[in-house]
């Protein structure tokens, strides 16, 4: 069965490029333009994995991550935070909120595709 990846980012160019990358890797893709939309899609669509930008309107990636982890249904869903904020404290905060992994922008699309593949295989 095809795995579903939700990508949440408020930058249209990033959404387009990540959507293309994930579809090329064979995944079904859902797109959210802000944190609240991400929460709504997670609740309705139950994606297999979430790629979350940290700095988004309505709800930050940290807030979305915290909300996901507060719901037993989604405890095992891999969450990968994507952000330009690469300070150690930001990474620590993301991991403390329940993210499984963290990638700092700009990142290698090859490395991102590899991480998504690894997390989805380990969650299976």
């Amino acid at each position: 069965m095809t795995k579903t990846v939700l990508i949440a980012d408020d930058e249209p160019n990033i959404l387009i490029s990540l959507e293309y990358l994930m579809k090329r890797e064979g995944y079904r893709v859902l797109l959210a333009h802000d944190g609240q939309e991400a929460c709504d899609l997670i609740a309705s669509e139950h994606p297999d994995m979430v790629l979350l930008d940290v700095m988004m309107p309505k709800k930050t990636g940290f807030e979305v991550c915290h909300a996901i982890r507060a719901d037993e249904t989604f405890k095992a869903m891999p969450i990968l935070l994507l952000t330009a904020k690469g300070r150690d404290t930001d990474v620590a905060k993301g991991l403390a909120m329940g993210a499984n992994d963290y990638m700092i922008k700009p990142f290698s699309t090859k490395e991102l595709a590899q991480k998504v593949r690894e997390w989805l295989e380990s969650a299976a």
Side-chain angles (χ1 to χ4, degrees):
M1 191 168 95
T2 303
K3 298 282 188 185
T4 301
V5 176
L6 169 67
I7 304 166
D9 201 304
D10 60 328
E11 286 289 328
N13 290 338
I14 292 174
L15 280 177
I16 290 167
S17 62
L18 291 180
E19 178 184 27
Y20 174 78
L21 174 67
M22 291 297 112
K23 283 184 173 179
R24 194 181 72 202
E25 293 291 316
Y27 304 118
R28 176 176 168 252
V29 177
L30 304 171
L31 300 176
H33 301 86
D34 61 58
Q36 185 58 56
E37 188 179 4
C39 286
D40 295 344
L41 280 169
I42 290 164
S44 65
E45 297 287 330
H46 296 252
D48 297 291
M49 183 167 185
V50 179
L51 305 182
L52 271 181
D53 181 30
V54 169
M55 302 302 293
M56 290 186 292
K58 299 188 182 174
K59 284 189 176 184
T60 67
F62 293 137
E63 292 168 326
V64 174
C65 192
H66 184 71
I68 292 169
R69 291 301 183 231
D71 187 328
E72 279 295 322
T73 309
F74 306 114
K75 285 267 192 218
M77 180 191 321
I79 301 171
L80 179 67
L81 289 177
L82 307 170
T83 187
K85 299 180 85 174
R87 295 186 321 226
D88 289 345
T89 54
D90 295 318
V91 173
K93 181 178 180 179
L95 297 174
M97 288 289 186
N100 298 89
D101 214 338
Y102 209 101
M103 288 192 73
I104 299 165
K105 297 175 184 175
F107 47 78
S108 152
T109 55
K110 183 178 179 182
E111 185 180 348
L112 176 62
Q114 176 72 28
K115 280 186 182 257
V116 169
R117 192 176 316 109
E118 288 170 0
W119 279 110
L120 285 172
E121 287 172 1
S122 70

